[in-house]
Amino acid sequence: MIKVILITGRSLDQGTSKSIGKFSKEYMEKLAICELDPEDLKSLGIESGQNVKIKTKYGEVIVKAIESKQAPHKGIAFMPYSMWANLLLGSSTNSSGMPTFKGIEADIEIVKEGKIMDLNELLEEKIGVI
Amino acid sequence: MKTINNVVCSFCGCLCDDIEVNIENNKIVNVKNTCSLGLSKFLNYDKHRILKPRIRKSKEFVNVSLEEAIDECVKILSNASYPIIYGWSNTSNEALRIGMEIAELIGGVIDNTTSVCHGPTIIGVQDIGESTSTLGQVKNRADLIIYWGSNPLHAHPRHLSRYTALSKGRFVKTRKERKIVVVDVRKTATASIADIFIQIKPNSDYELLSALRYAVNNGEIEQNEVAGVPVEKIEELAEMMISCKFGALMFGLGLTMSPGKHRNIEAAIALVTDLNKYTKFVILPMRGHYNVTGANNVTCWTTGYPFAVDFSKGYPYYNPGETTIADIIARGECDAALIVASDPISHLPIESARKLSKIPIVTIDPHETPTTKISKVVIPSSYVGIEYEGTAYRMDGVPLRLKKIVDPPDGIISDEEILKMILSKLRGD
C-alpha cells in the first residue's frame, strides 16, 4: 500500500472518448484509470496495466494503474474527471461553491479480487438506480 | 460534396474559427484544421444519440411525444418548491436566455458549470478586478507566457499554436521570441515544451504566488524553498516577469480546484497587478467547455450575477457557497432539477450525485449520459454548432457565431426551441 495525493483533471483521452460516447468501451478504457509515477508502480510491486484499489476518506474504487507519461510526480496519482474518480471525492465545498477535486489524500493497494465496474454498474451499485 | 469554411468548433473554450468541414448527403465526411478533440466531436456527434423523448414510468423508460415530455417537465417544475436549473456551458447563449426566464418564473436557482470549474476565478475577479486582454493581443504582443495549473496540450490543444508559443504574432513572430513557463504538480505534456518548468508541491499554489509577489516587490525570501521550489528559481521567474514586454498568465483548474480556491485566484491576480507597476501583464482563465464563458455573460446581462443565481426570493440573489449547485445538492435542499447540456451525475462527488438521483430530473441533451439514464424525463436536442446555429463566447470573452452545417435527425429540435416550449407552457400561453 502507498500513500498518495490524488489529483483529478482533464485529459486528451477523456475529451476524445467522451465524444465517442460515455457508455462506449473506449470511454471506460481511457477513464477508469489512475496514472502513477514509475517509482510508485515499483513501490507497489506492479506493472502498468494492473488493477488497484484507491481509497480516500470519502470512498473507494478499483481502476487500472497506468504508468504516467507526464512524470515525474512521485507521490501524486492522477485520475481523469469521471464517475470513477468522483467516488473518491467529498461533497463539501467549505462554503466556497467548489468541491475539492484536487489534492486529496489517498491510499493505493493492489487488488486480488474485484473488477473495474462499468458506468451502468456504478449507477446501480453506487447511485442506486437503473 | 459540399465544403463549409470558417466553421467554429464547439468543443473547448478556444472556439477555433477556421475549421473546414466536408459534407456529403447531410453527413460530415471530413474535417480539417481541428485538434483531436474537435475532430472526435465532428466525426462522432451522430453516434450515441437519443432520438425519442422519454419518461420513466415506474422503473422503465417509455418513449413519448415531445408534447407529452414537455407537459411532464412543466408538471415537475411547477410542483417543486426549490428547483434547480443547471448546465448551459455546452449550448448557445440564446438557449440560456430562455432558461433565465424559466428560472425567474418558477422561482428556482439557475447555475452553470462554472460552479465546478472557474467559479473561484469569477469570485476572485469580483473581489479585486483583473488586468485582461483578448487572445489576439496575447498572440501579437506577448513575449512571456505562463501556464499555471493548466495543460493546454490536453485540454485546449490548439491554444499554443493559435495564440501563444507557436503562433506568429504581428510583433512577436517566432517561438524564439517568446519564453514559455509552466507551473504544475506534474511534468505535463505542455511542460515538456516549456523553456522553464516549475514543479510545485500539491496544494501550495498560494504560497508560491505569495513568494513571487514578495520577490517582484524586491523582498528577500528568507527560506531555501517555497512550495517545493528553490528560492533561486522563484527569483529567476520574478525577474523574467518584470523584464518582459508583455506577459500573460494563463491559469487552469489546478488553481481553482485545489485548496485555497478563490484565494489562489486572488493571489494570482494580485501578482499580475504588482507586475503592472513594471510592465504590461495580463491574466486569463483557460475556460473548458465551449460556451461556459457565454453562460457567465448571459447570466450577468440578465441578473447582474455570473452564476449561481437564486430567484426563490422573487429577485436575483447570489452567494457562492450558498446558492451554488454543489452546496444546494449537498444540503439536500432542491426537490426537482432541469439539466440542460450537462452531465452532473458524472461530474459531482458521489454523495451529491446520489442525492441528485433521488429527485425528479428533466434532462435536455443530444446524447446518452449517466444523467439521462437516471432522469425522470429526457428530451433529446440538436447539437449547437453542428445542427443548429447560435452564439457562444470564446474564453477571452469574444462572442462568435456558430453555424448550422447539417440537418438534425428527424423530429429533433434545439435546446432553445425546447426551452421556449417549456416557458410558454409554464406561462399558460
Side-chain angles (χ1 to χ4, degrees), chain A residues 5 7-8 10-23 27 35 58 68-74 76 78 81-83 86-104 119-120 122-123 126-130, chain B residues 11 36-37 40-41 44 48 90 115-117 119-120 123 151 153-155 157 185-189 199 202-203 253-254 256-259 261-262 289 320-321 324 326-327 330 343 345-354 357-358 368-370 373-374:
Chain A
I5 296 291
I7 306 280
T8 70
R10 213 167 278 293
S11 74
L12 193 61
D13 283 340
Q14 178 217 23
T16 52
S17 62
K18 183 180 86 166
S19 293
I20 296 169
K22 287 197 171 167
F23 292 93
Y27 186 80
E35 292 178 17
Y58 307 108
S68 176
K69 289 180 185 154
Q70 305 190 79
H73 53 80
K74 193 172 178 306
I76 293 175
F78 175 85
Y81 297 137
S82 70
M83 270 189 77
N86 290 347
L87 289 165
L88 302 167
L89 307 178
S91 57
S92 170
T93 77
N94 300 104
S95 303
S96 69
M98 170 69 83
T100 300
F101 288 93
K102 298 181 193 284
I104 302 138
L119 279 185
N120 280 314
L122 286 184
L123 285 168
K126 305 288 182 180
I127 307 276
V129 286
I130 296 185
Chain B
F11 193 99
S36 52
L37 296 174
S40 187
K41 178 161 182 175
N44 292 300
H48 63 270
N90 269 329
S115 227
V116 288
C117 70
I123 300 168
N151 183 10
L153 278 183
H154 275 234
V185 295
R186 298 178 301 148
K187 191 173 185 194
T188 60
Q199 194 155 15
N203 303 344
L253 303 185
T256 69
M257 286 181 166
S258 301
K261 296 173 187 160
H262 58 281
H289 289 309
T324 21
D327 298 278
D343 179 18
I345 292 293
S346 285
H347 298 289
L348 286 173
I350 187 66
E351 191 192 337
S352 298
R354 209 175 282 132
S357 74
K358 304 289 181 248
E368 204 78 76
T369 68
K373 288 252 182 175
I374 66 140

Side-chain angles (χ1 to χ4, degrees), chain B residues 142-147 160 164-166 174-183 187 189-198 233 236-237 240:
Chain B
D143 58 342
L144 174 64
I145 315 281
I146 300 169
Y147 286 108
L160 289 106
T164 65
L166 309 170
T174 63
R175 172 70 181 87
K176 278 185 189 164
E177 292 170 61
R178 300 186 201 263
K179 285 274 180 273
I180 307 296
V181 177
V182 168
V183 182
K187 191 173 185 194
T190 310
S192 303
I193 60 159
D195 296 291
I196 296 179
F197 168 51
I198 293 179
K233 216 163 183 178
E236 183 194 351
L237 179 56
M240 273 176 82

